[in-house]
């Protein structure tokens, strides 16, 4: 069988200050996903698919914390399951090609420096199993290695983000976010009733986070001393960085 899904997004909202229209945020994009479910092969059953996405972001006004940008990605993925005498085994993988491009902002020269495109090729893989102990009890376990490309604002942000009350700065040399994770659990199911208890752990060799710098900026983006931190219109400076995390 073949299943296809096409979606189009056209989103816009306006920030108001005292009844006056301010910054206008907009996002437009398309997403096409095609899945093919194959016949059982050596006991395995599952789907192979492709996905392509394209989006454009813009923010016009004083509160624009990220430039106009365009993101395009293509992905190939597979998910397989194999029933066994003792339970079930699952496995999956996803390969992507992602291009994130800063288009600047004609009204805000501070975004000119970051104009350009970055390319990434994330790859993720996962495997899991279910062990049936009794007709009502089973054990579950999963392991995954996951990679993610940085978002446009994580790469190119440079402005006041009033929702977080900070002046945010991106890092255009960011690499892939990478993590390894494990989980194990026990499951009970009897008719319509079920209970799951699961423990998990995730280790990031590169986690993309918004970090405090101890510095401050005024409304124009100019550095100010810590003595001015409590003054109206002064924002803490935060920067996107890749760090280890768990």
């Amino acid at each position: 069988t073949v299943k296809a899904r096409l979606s189009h997004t056209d989103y816009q909202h306006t920030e108001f200050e005292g009844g006056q229209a301010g910054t206008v945020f907009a996002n437009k994009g398309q997403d096409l996903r095609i899945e093919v479910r194959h016949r059982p092969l050596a006991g395995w059953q599952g789907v192979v698919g492709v996905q392509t996405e394209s989006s454009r972001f813009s923010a016009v006004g004083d509160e624009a914390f990220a430039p106009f940008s365009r993101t395009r990605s293509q992905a190939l993925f597979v998910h397989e399951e194999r029933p066994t005498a003792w339970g079930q085994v699952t496995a999956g993988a996803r390969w992507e090609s992602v291009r994130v491009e800063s288009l600047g902002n004609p009204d805000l020269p501070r975004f000119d420096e970051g104009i350009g495109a970055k390319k990434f090729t994330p790859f993720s893989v996962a495997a899991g199993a279910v062990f049936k102990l009794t007709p009502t009890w089973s054990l579950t376990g999963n392991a995954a290695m996951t990679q993610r490309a940085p978002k446009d604002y994580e790469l190119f942000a440079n402005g006041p983000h009033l929702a977080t009350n900070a002046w945010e700065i991106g890092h255009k040399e960011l690499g892939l976010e990478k993590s390894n994770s494990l989980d194990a659990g026990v499951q009970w199911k009897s008719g319509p009733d079920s209970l799951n208890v699961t423990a998990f752990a995730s280790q990031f060799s590169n986690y993309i986070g918004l970090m405090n710098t101890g510095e401050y900026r005024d409304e124009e983006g100019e550095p100010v001393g810590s003595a001015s931190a409590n003054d109206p219109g002064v924002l803490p400076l935060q920067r996107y960085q890749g760090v280890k995390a768990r």
Side-chain angles (χ1 to χ4, degrees):
T1 59
V2 178
K3 181 170 68 174
R5 183 187 69 192
L6 175 65
S7 63
H8 173 75
T9 300
D10 190 348
Y11 171 85
Q12 178 176 300
H13 83 264
T14 303
E15 299 283 348
F16 285 87
E17 291 186 30
Q20 299 295 318
T23 305
V24 179
F25 294 87
N27 191 32
K28 295 183 178 181
Q30 295 81 34
D31 178 7
L32 173 63
R33 181 184 178 100
I34 302 174
E35 299 179 4
V36 179
R37 178 169 293 278
H38 61 76
R39 293 178 177 178
L41 298 172
W44 291 90
Q45 53 193 13
V47 298
V48 178
V50 295
Q51 184 173 10
T52 177
E53 298 178 81
S54 177
S55 64
R56 292 179 67 101
F57 166 83
S58 65
V60 179
D62 294 337
E63 296 180 27
F65 72 97
F68 296 5
S69 64
R70 177 167 51 210
T71 303
R72 294 175 176 172
S73 68
Q74 298 81 37
L76 174 67
F77 61 89
V78 58
H79 177 78
E80 298 290 331
E81 301 177 350
R82 180 172 179 168
T84 67
W86 46 262
Q88 178 175 274
V89 177
T90 61
R94 181 181 176 92
W95 174 87
E96 296 180 76
S97 175
V98 182
R99 186 176 190 271
V100 188
E101 182 179 9
S102 169
L103 305 176
N105 185 320
D107 298 325
L108 297 172
R110 67 172 180 266
F111 292 120
D112 291 345
E113 182 180 349
I115 290 178
K118 301 290 292 184
K119 296 181 179 179
F120 305 92
T121 54
F123 177 74
S124 301
V125 62
V130 178
F131 300 88
K132 293 182 179 178
L133 301 176
T134 71
T136 57
W137 288 92
S138 59
L139 297 177
T140 62
N142 296 279
M145 186 278 290
T146 305
Q147 297 182 349
R148 177 181 73 84
K151 300 293 186 181
D152 51 354
Y153 55 87
E154 293 171 332
L155 293 166
F156 307 120
N158 185 10
H161 193 177
L162 299 190
T164 60
N165 192 43
W167 188 284
E168 296 184 5
I169 294 185
H171 185 2
K172 62 180 180 181
E173 300 304 322
L174 283 174
L176 293 171
E177 184 174 85
K178 299 179 180 180
S179 70
N180 296 311
S181 62
L182 291 170
D183 70 69
V186 59
Q187 176 178 305
W188 171 83
K189 186 173 183 180
S190 178
D193 303 316
S194 63
L195 173 68
N196 295 275
V197 178
T198 304
F200 68 91
S202 296
Q203 189 84 24
F204 288 81
S205 60
N206 191 52
Y207 175 81
I208 299 175
L210 186 59
M211 306 299 173
N212 287 321
T213 64
E215 303 174 31
Y216 297 87
R217 296 283 177 94
D218 62 18
E219 294 179 337
E220 303 300 323
E222 295 298 324
V224 297
S226 58
S228 305
N230 296 322
D231 292 348
V234 174
L235 300 173
L237 179 66
Q238 298 181 339
R239 190 182 304 272
Y240 285 97
Q241 296 178 346
V243 298
K244 293 183 177 181
R246 63 171 180 254

